[in-house]
Amino acid sequence: SPSTRNCRPAMKTQTKMTLILCSLLPLCASGVQAENIALKITKRYLNFPVSHGQERGRMTFETEGEPALSVAIRLAPEEADYWVFRDVSALEGKTVRIAYDGDPRGLGKIYQSDRIAGQDSLYREKNRPQFHFTTRRGWINDPNGLVFHDGEYHLFYQHNPYEREWQNMHWGHAVSKDLVHWEELPDALFPDGLGTMYSGSAVIDCANTAGFSRDGTPALVAVYTAAGPERQVQCVAYSLDNGRTFTKYAGNPVIDSRDKWNSKDTRDPKVFWYAPAGHWVLVLNERDGHSIYTSPDLKRWTYESHVTGFWECPELFELPVDGDPGNTKWVMYGASGTYMLGSFDGRVFRPESGKHRYTSGSIYAAQTYTNIPAADGRRIQIGWGRISHPGMPFKGMMTMPTELTLRTTKDGVRLVSTPVAELDRLFRPLGEWRELTAEEAGRRLEEFGTADRLRIRTTIELSHATDASLTLSGQPLVAYDMNHNTLNGRFYSPQDPTSMRLTADIYIDRTSVEVFIDGGLYSYSMERRPEAGNDRGFRFRGKRIRVCDLEVFSVESIWQPE
Ligand code: FRU
């Protein structure tokens, strides 16, 4: 599409100026026929052209004194679909040898610059979400290493910097001071001899139990899965500069449990400090459920127990019920978010109820923050939004940060999720109306039908109707069927089961929609499909429904373009 083609660099001649050695000789050391070039790094970025018409080839970077890096990339021999980049500022002055076993014609197009190709339109691209985190280039999935430290919220994430599809897992990195505005930093963890960098978590080792800290600055410790072709093993890396650079622990891997489970699926360690027993807890998905390990020092781990019934991306945390610190429950979930409630004694999780569902749709692999100051005390969650952005050189996004609480409901204690209060500053009221018919409400929304982002809060009441909906361009944002008790296809019954009312808080971005029902008792997310139907704009439907309340807010962009 034209918007991605703009990403081509204007000055092709730059390529030649920055190539100091261009041998283009076959490199046969690895037995693979590969062409190679050498570049002396004088600029911040290496820019690479990508074409999805090409098969992936293997590209290897070798720099003296640095670990080698090997990635798969579809280097464009001719026209690029878009450009990707590697931040090489840490290699300044050094010579990087780049070998590629795919079509070698693209090698000569790689160029250095202090700007990424497409920098001019960064964050202003047509389908760039405006209040959700996305990466500048490439693919993202799970949030990783969510930790608050020194006034910064860290958001690490599964990142393929070299293409907008899943591959080459690195840990990408962004930071925020307010959970709203994010700054993307260079990638934090790179594939190595043990494998690619799969999901994991991060903690602050305040008591220096691992001994990584030298001058009293507590280490930020990332615990992650290295995924090799045969095994998925658990590893540790630490940072003494607020996550900007990491050193991998020389004793890695710290857990290798493939043989115990006779399964390759052992991954996604979630670590936290369990104060009552004074030890670290690691929850690991192994084969068919979540295992608990404990450790005094983040390096030596002892297996304790296992709960079957979960897949990928474990979470385990304690929450007060109805805000009462004297009455708490532990929440355990996996990647889909369906959860069990129970008790935890530092070694064993005992399920008491579940599984329950609090959210559905595009969200997956959600994780919560560690090290939130006690005075704040919130359990803050971010999930991967499985959302595509048509024509863009990036894919996937993070869902809005939400606060999780436990509330007593008619069905028992349940998890509730609401967008964090920090997001409020993005919304400006544009109008509020009460007691409207469906037609009147539709007319009020007419002028917003083409808005690229909007928040709508509404309470709908059914009376003569068994169902009611609000659609945008034919796409159901809220579709409630009182007869079958379904809401956008899944069972839902309001707190007062005789109630005919439903409240929806709807966050519409350029490519996604997130909906929070009845104060967060249930939520769901979806791709926004502007071409879903023949209808244009918003439309309320339902036989003689009442729109009791309708509020519309503008949404400020979180990106401050340079
Ligand atoms: C979940 C997941 C994790 C894994 C990661 C790899 O989306 O499959 O289990 O660590 O993605 O990118």
Side-chain angles (χ1 to χ4, degrees), residues 141-142 158 166 169 197-199 225 267-268 312-313 335 364-365 384:
N141 55 294
D142 317 354
Q158 292 288 283
W166 184 91
M169 284 299 116
M197 303 289 102
Y198 272 22
S199 286
T225 301
R267 60 174 177 270
D268 310 337
E312 303 186 321
C313 303
Y364 196 71
W384 166 32

Side-chain angles (χ1 to χ4, degrees), residues 385-405:
R386 291 176 292 178
I387 301 287
S388 323
H389 321 287
M392 294 291 101
F394 54 91
K395 196 184 260 187
M397 65 170 209
M398 293 301 153
T399 57
M400 289 190 294
T402 52
E403 180 182 354
L404 300 181
T405 51

Side-chain angles (χ1 to χ4, degrees), residues 24-36 62 97 99-101:
L24 283 176
L25 291 172
L27 181 84
C28 297
S30 59
V32 181
Q33 191 77 4
E35 305 282 348
N36 71 101
E62 280 174 0
R97 179 165 290 274
Y100 185 57
D101 70 6

Side-chain angles (χ1 to χ4, degrees), residues 456-461 478 487 492 494 499-506 515-522 524 548-549 551:
I456 296 177
R457 199 156 54 186
T458 186
T459 301
I460 305 172
E461 187 175 290
V478 179
L487 182 56
Y492 184 74
S499 163
M500 301 297 280
R501 286 185 174 209
L502 194 82
T503 297
D505 200 353
I506 308 164
V515 184
F516 295 82
I517 298 294
D518 292 340
L521 284 167
Y522 176 56
Y524 51 93
C548 310
D549 191 28
E551 288 171 274

Side-chain angles (χ1 to χ4, degrees), residues 243-296:
R244 270 54 178 183
T245 59
F246 279 88
T247 305
K248 286 175 177 162
Y249 171 49
N252 281 338
V254 293
I255 300 176
D256 179 351
S257 55
R258 191 208 146 108
D259 299 339
K260 172 182 164 71
W261 295 95
N262 189 25
S263 165
K264 194 179 135 177
D265 295 305
T266 59
R267 60 174 177 270
D268 310 337
K270 169 71 192 200
V271 176
F272 60 91
W273 178 250
Y274 184 73
H279 62 220
W280 297 102
V281 171
L282 183 153
V283 196
L284 188 65
N285 188 261
E286 296 185 306
R287 193 180 59 196
D288 54 9
H290 292 348
S291 300
I292 305 286
Y293 288 76
T294 56
S295 169

Side-chain angles (χ1 to χ4, degrees), residues 371-447:
N371 210 43
I372 295 291
D376 177 329
R378 286 178 299 172
R379 182 56 56 174
I380 299 167
Q381 183 195 60
I382 294 180
W384 166 32
R386 291 176 292 178
I387 301 287
S388 323
H389 321 287
M392 294 291 101
F394 54 91
K395 196 184 260 187
M397 65 170 209
M398 293 301 153
T399 57
M400 289 190 294
T402 52
E403 180 182 354
L404 300 181
T405 51
L406 284 181
R407 216 187 290 165
T408 306
T409 73
K410 73 175 195 310
D411 303 311
V413 176
R414 291 290 182 275
L415 202 53
V416 174
S417 156
T418 48
V420 293
E422 285 90 334
L423 289 162
D424 284 348
R425 71 191 59 161
L426 295 176
F427 311 117
R428 300 263 173 285
L430 295 176
E432 177 168 6
W433 303 272
R434 291 181 192 282
E435 300 305 330
L436 305 171
T437 63
E439 296 70 30
E440 284 165 350
R443 271 201 295 280
R444 299 289 183 278
L445 292 183
E446 225 158 65
E447 63 176 295

Side-chain angles (χ1 to χ4, degrees), residues 4-17:
T4 51
R5 296 250 161 74
N6 287 343
C7 297
R8 291 191 60 211
M11 285 193 301
K12 270 191 180 162
T13 46
Q14 231 169 346
T15 310
K16 297 196 181 77
M17 286 157 55

